[in-house]
Amino acid sequence: MKDALAIHRWLLAHQIHHEIVRLPRALTSSQELPEVLGVEAATCVSVRVFEVSYQDGRDPVAVVGAVDTPPKAKAVGALFRARRVVPASAFVVNSATDYADGLVCPLLLPDHLAVLIDQRLIDNLDPDEPVITATGERSTALRLRAFHLLDLMSGKPVDLTTARRRGLASLASPMSTA
C-alpha cells in the first residue's frame, strides 16, 4: 500500500513544495478532512472509486473532486454508457488504487486505472492556494498548492454536473482513458 512517505519521496523527486500534515485525530475517510483540520470542504480533494459495469465485464474508475461536490454515480455511468455504476467495495478500492479505502490520494495512481477529474474542481480552485488531500494513512494529510496538484494528477477532466444519455464517445470504456 502507498503511504505518506511514498508520496513525500515522489514529490521531493519532482521538487514540489508540499507538507505532510500530522492530523489531530485519525480519519476514516477523506470526507472528514474539513472537520478535522477546520478548513473549507472546497479546498479538500478526495478520490472516489466506482465500479462501472458493462455487458462484458466491469472496471474500476477513480473520480477526483472536491469533498463538497461528490460525484454522482449516475453522471459517471452516463459518461461511459454503463449498464450499472456503484461505489466500489473496499477490496476493489484497495486493489485498484494501492491505497487504503476512503483515503486514496489523487497522486501515484496506477497507470491502468481510469481517472476522471471533476471539472468543478478545476474551475473552483485558486491555483495559488493550498489544497489538502489524503495520503492513504489515517493520521496524515498532504498540503500543496492547487496548481501543483492539478499539474501532477493523471486523468481526464470531465463535466459531472449533469448525467448525459448519450455519453462521450472518447470514454466508451474506462480502460480507454488510461
Side-chain angles (χ1 to χ4, degrees):
M1 287 282 181
K2 292 183 184 117
D3 59 8
L5 184 57
I7 296 165
H8 174 67
R9 287 178 175 159
W10 187 77
L11 290 169
L12 285 176
H14 285 83
Q15 298 180 356
I16 303 297
H17 181 71
H18 65 283
E19 178 184 6
I20 301 295
V21 178
R22 181 62 112 189
L23 300 174
R25 70 173 174 87
L27 299 174
T28 58
S29 165
S30 60
Q31 306 306 308
E32 298 171 356
L33 283 169
E35 176 190 337
V36 170
L37 292 173
V39 297
E40 293 182 37
T43 64
C44 296
V45 178
S46 68
V47 177
R48 295 186 187 227
V49 181
F50 295 93
E51 269 195 289
V52 179
S53 298
Y54 302 94
Q55 191 168 358
D56 57 346
R58 59 182 177 220
D59 292 310
V61 174
V63 181
V64 181
V67 168
D68 67 343
T69 55
K72 303 251 188 280
K74 185 175 181 179
V76 174
L79 287 172
F80 290 108
R81 301 181 198 157
R83 295 175 79 190
R84 183 172 172 230
V85 176
V86 295
S89 68
F91 175 78
V92 170
V93 173
N94 297 348
S95 306
T97 66
D98 203 24
Y99 283 105
D101 179 40
L103 301 171
V104 178
C105 180
L107 301 175
L108 297 176
L109 291 170
D111 291 337
H112 67 273
L113 179 65
V115 179
L116 304 178
I117 303 169
D118 191 335
Q119 186 66 46
R120 295 173 292 182
L121 175 69
I122 297 167
D123 295 342
N124 295 330
L125 286 179
D126 178 345
D128 290 321
E129 291 299 314
V131 293
I132 299 169
T133 189
T135 62
E137 295 178 0
R138 295 178 47 163
S139 60
T140 62
L142 171 67
R143 179 183 289 137
L144 72 165
R145 285 193 174 156
F147 74 87
H148 285 308
L149 181 66
L150 294 172
D151 189 44
L152 294 169
M153 282 190 302
S154 62
K156 181 178 184 77
V158 294
D159 178 7
L160 293 173
T161 56
T162 59
R164 293 180 204 88
R165 295 294 301 156
R166 291 177 287 168
L168 298 176
S170 64
L171 294 176
S173 160
M175 297 314 290
S176 69
T177 62

